[in-house]
């Protein structure tokens, strides 16, 4: 089988997923090529050719050239899998111009909900409708994306299996890590997130302002455009921004809880890692978060008061902390494996099934 994987601009979980999927396909004997913007992280494997493809985050006059390039690229491929709204719509428009006999199968994986307002939302809705009318299968990384694709008339829709990430490891012990990170409080909360609007870090700061608990450290690891704004808003609070912190295993070992304050998530990689590490989780109940954590998390509404109340409760209840730790380890054993993710995608690409269990 020859497969063309197409990705839009990908950072964080989406980029990790695309690279892992390409490697799994190649290891399974599939001849896979990855077409993506030059700004994306390269896989760096000789057996997975990569092609530079101009896909911006917004519509541009260059989109027509990208559609023509995709039409040429797909020649000779059995299937095309596109990731993201923009890449999916451009691939759908490219394949629409090919006669049915010579057209490869099209699978589109939706990784994010449509955000914004006005013209941005109108364009997003148009792109999603284009995908649903032309894709053979649509995979959504969260139940709400699956439901929206169904409403838009997609022929086959399924919840995408996102392989669980192994918990990063470290050779250091907890006391050493906490000393190195200057943690001298009884409790340490950790948030792993890009500093972008979707992650709700402004809600996090407002929650910290409302908490009764004061003797804690809150570490935020990640980079993004909102860092300066968030650091200003967090002045006077026991919150520290670590920037790009490579030793995630250390943070998970140091943490008493991993906290996610996102206003939307697909199947968050950071929470998968936290489950694997047995970290208690307090998270906003948005998007596909519950699909990842199951009952192994304290899920709350995405507002400061709910988050603050949950953290205060967590700090006062040692039994709850133990329960969440044990539940995380149990839930980690139930998460999708790379082999299961590969099976779902191979079935979708070959047309043997409709992509998996419908959401």
């Amino acid at each position: 089988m020859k497969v063309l994987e197409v990705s839009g601009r990908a950072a964080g979980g989406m980029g990790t997923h695309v690279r892992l999927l390409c490697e799994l396909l190649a290891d399974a004997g599939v001849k896979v090529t990855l077409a993506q913007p030059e700004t994306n992280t390269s896989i760096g494997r000789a057996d997975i050719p990569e092609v530079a493809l101009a896909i911006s985050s917004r519509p541009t006059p260059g989109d027509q050239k990208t559609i023509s390039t995709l039409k040429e690229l797909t020649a000779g491929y059995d299937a095309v899998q596109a990731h993201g709204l923009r890449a999916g719509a451009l691939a759908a428009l490219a394949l629409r111009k090919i006669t049915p006999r010579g057209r490869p199968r099209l699978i589109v994986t939706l990784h994010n909900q449509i955000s914004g307002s006005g013209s941005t939302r109108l364009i997003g809705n148009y792109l999603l409708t284009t995908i649903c009318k032309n894709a053979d299968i649509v995979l959504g990384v969260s139940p709400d994306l699956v439901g929206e694709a169904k409403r838009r008339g997609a022929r086959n829709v399924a919840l995408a299996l996102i392989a669980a990430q192994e918990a990063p490891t470290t050779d250091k012990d907890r006391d050493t890590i906490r000393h190195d990170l200057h943690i001298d409080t009884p409790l340490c909360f950790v948030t792993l997130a890009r500093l972008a609007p979707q992650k709700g870090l402004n809600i996090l700061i407002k929650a910290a302002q409302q908490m009764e608990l004061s003797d804690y450290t809150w570490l935020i690891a990640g980079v993004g455009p909102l860092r300066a704004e968030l650091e200003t808003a967090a002045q006077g609070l026991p919150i520290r921004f670590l920037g790009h912190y490579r030793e995630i295993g250390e943070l998970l070992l140091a943490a008493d809880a991993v906290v996610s304050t996102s206003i939307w998530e697909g199947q968050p990689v950071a929470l998968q890692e936290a489950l694997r590490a047995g970290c208690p989780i307090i998270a906003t109940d948005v998007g596909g978060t519950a699909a990842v954590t199951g009952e192994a998390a304290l899920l709350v509404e995405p507002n400061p008061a709910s988050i603050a109340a949950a953290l205060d409760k967590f700090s006062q209840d040692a039994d709850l902390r133990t329960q969440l730790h044990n539940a995380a380890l149990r839930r980690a054993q139930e998460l999708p494996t790379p082999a299961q993710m590969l099976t779902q995608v191979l079935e979708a690409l070959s047309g043997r099934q409709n992509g998996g269990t419908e959401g």
Side-chain angles (χ1 to χ4, degrees):
M1 186 189 300
K2 289 186 65 177
V3 173
L4 178 67
E5 292 285 332
V6 181
S7 174
R9 291 189 176 183
M14 177 175 161
T16 300
H17 172 75
V18 171
R19 292 189 294 275
L20 174 60
L21 180 56
C22 287
E23 292 181 330
L24 290 172
L25 288 169
D27 291 343
V30 176
K31 295 182 179 179
V32 58
T33 299
L34 174 60
Q36 64 175 359
E38 290 182 320
T39 53
N40 286 10
T41 302
S42 171
I43 297 174
R45 277 181 48 165
D47 60 338
I48 304 178
E50 297 185 39
V51 178
L53 188 66
I55 301 180
S56 62
S57 56
R58 297 180 180 274
T60 70
D63 284 348
Q64 191 56 52
K65 182 178 179 181
T66 300
I67 291 170
S68 298
T69 301
L70 275 170
K71 182 179 178 181
E72 295 173 2
L73 278 175
T74 58
Y77 283 90
D78 301 299
V80 175
Q81 182 174 14
H83 298 266
L85 195 64
R86 291 270 297 141
L90 292 172
L93 292 171
L95 295 182
R96 195 167 64 177
K97 297 183 177 183
I98 300 174
T99 59
R101 179 175 296 181
R103 180 185 179 279
R105 287 177 60 78
L106 175 61
I107 292 83
V108 176
T109 303
L110 301 173
H111 289 264
N112 288 286
Q113 72 172 178
I114 297 170
S115 60
S117 59
S119 59
T120 300
R121 186 169 291 275
L122 285 173
I123 292 169
N125 288 331
Y126 167 75
L127 297 179
L128 181 56
T129 300
T130 299
I131 289 168
C132 292
K133 286 184 176 180
N134 292 277
D136 295 283
I137 295 175
V138 176
L139 301 175
V141 300
S142 64
D144 56 329
L145 293 182
V146 170
E148 185 60 27
K150 287 181 178 180
R151 288 189 288 273
R152 299 277 175 171
R155 284 170 279 182
N156 290 315
V157 189
L159 182 66
L161 297 180
I162 305 298
Q165 304 296 304
E166 292 295 332
T169 59
T170 176
D171 294 331
K172 295 183 180 179
D173 61 64
R174 177 179 166 91
D175 288 341
T176 299
I177 295 168
R178 289 171 71 94
H179 177 270
D180 292 346
L181 288 170
H182 307 291
I183 300 169
D184 55 6
T185 54
L187 290 176
C188 173
F189 304 129
V190 167
T191 294
L192 308 171
R194 177 169 163 76
L195 309 186
Q198 178 185 312
K199 301 303 181 180
L201 298 175
N202 58 327
I203 299 176
L204 181 157
I205 291 170
K206 291 177 181 178
Q209 293 169 339
Q210 296 181 22
M211 289 167 57
E212 295 179 6
L213 176 70
S214 58
D215 196 12
Y216 67 91
T217 301
W218 201 329
L219 303 178
I220 301 176
V223 297
L226 298 184
R227 178 162 182 172
E229 175 186 327
L230 292 168
E231 285 186 323
T232 298
Q235 286 182 0
L237 295 169
I239 295 174
R240 282 194 276 133
F241 293 84
L242 303 180
H244 180 58
Y245 199 88
R246 293 183 179 275
E247 301 302 328
I248 300 302
E250 294 184 7
L251 292 181
L252 294 177
L253 185 56
D256 293 284
V258 168
V259 184
S260 171
T261 60
S262 296
I263 58 175
W264 189 85
E265 284 286 358
Q267 294 182 39
V269 171
L271 296 189
Q272 291 182 345
E273 293 175 334
L275 291 170
R276 293 280 193 182
C279 278
I281 295 172
I282 296 97
T284 46
D285 190 4
V286 295
T289 296
V292 171
T293 65
E295 296 181 356
L298 198 56
L299 297 178
V300 299
E301 293 296 316
N303 61 67
S306 296
I307 296 165
L311 289 170
D312 283 331
K313 178 181 179 181
F314 177 86
S315 69
Q316 297 165 11
D317 193 336
D319 289 340
L320 175 62
R321 297 197 291 273
T322 300
Q323 290 169 13
L324 289 174
H325 164 73
N326 293 334
L329 293 175
R330 289 195 301 270
R331 179 60 179 168
Q333 302 305 310
E334 302 168 354
L335 295 174
T337 65
Q340 290 171 326
M341 183 176 83
L342 176 63
T343 296
Q344 181 190 50
V345 171
L346 285 174
E347 290 176 347
L349 293 170
S350 65
R352 293 198 300 271
Q353 291 186 9
N354 72 344
T357 302
E358 292 196 1

